[in-house]
Amino acid sequence: MVDAARAQRLAKRITTIVASAISGEIKDPRLAHVTITDTRVTGDLHDATVYYTVMGSTIDAEPDYTEAAAGLAAATGVLRSKVGAGTGVRFTPTLRFELDTVPDATRAMDELLAKARAQDELVARAARDAEPAGDDDPYYHEDGEAGQDARG
């Protein structure tokens, strides 16, 4: 039977163990700018997908995703051993590392929202100074006069 709460607890624990091992115990320079963002564990607790992001070494530097992936692939065995020792489960889950695309999608969404706000500001500025193209009230009323309010 699948215990979703247990899988979530194990996923959190794996995230913590892998992140601390990468930051403190594994001395691979390719992993210097890797951040573990999330972990998902299957219902049978046999497989874990660990999501990570890579930050650039400086503000202007592009992250090296291929080197980070190679570093994680090389460290998978050590990381799995640490997960096994740190979780105490009967079967240590296999670890699969995937690049987390959420930060990129968030950045793209923020750029789209900024564009939309700028466009809205342009429309609001144009509407503020605009005048109606025709009469104030262009509809026909019962008294036969267009543009006049029949109520008075």
Side-chain angles (χ1 to χ4, degrees), residues 13-23 36 50 79 83 95 97:
R13 186 72 185 128
I14 290 172
T15 300
T16 305
I17 292 168
V18 171
S20 66
I22 286 175
S23 67
I36 304 301
V50 181
L79 291 171
V83 166
L95 300 179
F97 293 94

Side-chain angles (χ1 to χ4, degrees), residues 79-92:
L79 291 171
R80 187 169 182 227
S81 297
K82 292 191 177 301
V83 166
T87 57
V89 292
R90 183 174 17 174
F91 179 82
T92 303

Side-chain angles (χ1 to χ4, degrees), residues 29-42:
R30 299 175 292 186
L31 302 179
H33 301 288
V34 171
T35 302
I36 304 301
T37 57
D38 193 20
T39 301
R40 303 277 167 88
V41 178
T42 58

Side-chain angles (χ1 to χ4, degrees), residues 36-69:
I36 304 301
T37 57
D38 193 20
T39 301
R40 303 277 167 88
V41 178
T42 58
D44 62 1
L45 309 179
H46 282 224
D47 299 304
T49 303
V50 181
Y51 295 93
Y52 67 95
T53 60
V54 183
M55 303 300 167
S57 56
T58 62
I59 293 174
D60 297 332
E62 281 294 316
D64 194 353
Y65 298 113
T66 56
E67 287 295 315

Side-chain angles (χ1 to χ4, degrees), residues 68-148:
L72 286 169
T76 300
V78 173
L79 291 171
R80 187 169 182 227
S81 297
K82 292 191 177 301
V83 166
T87 57
V89 292
R90 183 174 17 174
F91 179 82
T92 303
T94 58
L95 300 179
R96 191 176 94 224
F97 293 94
E98 283 193 23
L99 184 63
D100 194 353
T101 58
V102 171
D104 294 332
T106 303
R107 190 174 14 262
M109 188 65 69
D110 286 341
E111 289 172 6
L112 288 173
L113 287 172
K115 272 183 167 176
R117 282 189 201 102
Q119 200 63 22
D120 285 348
E121 180 61 31
L122 288 174
V123 169
R125 212 175 298 141
R128 191 175 18 232
D129 300 329
E131 301 225 1
D135 295 331
D136 288 340
D137 186 9
Y139 299 102
Y140 179 78
H141 296 282
E142 290 178 19
D143 61 0
E145 299 259 343
Q148 297 285 330

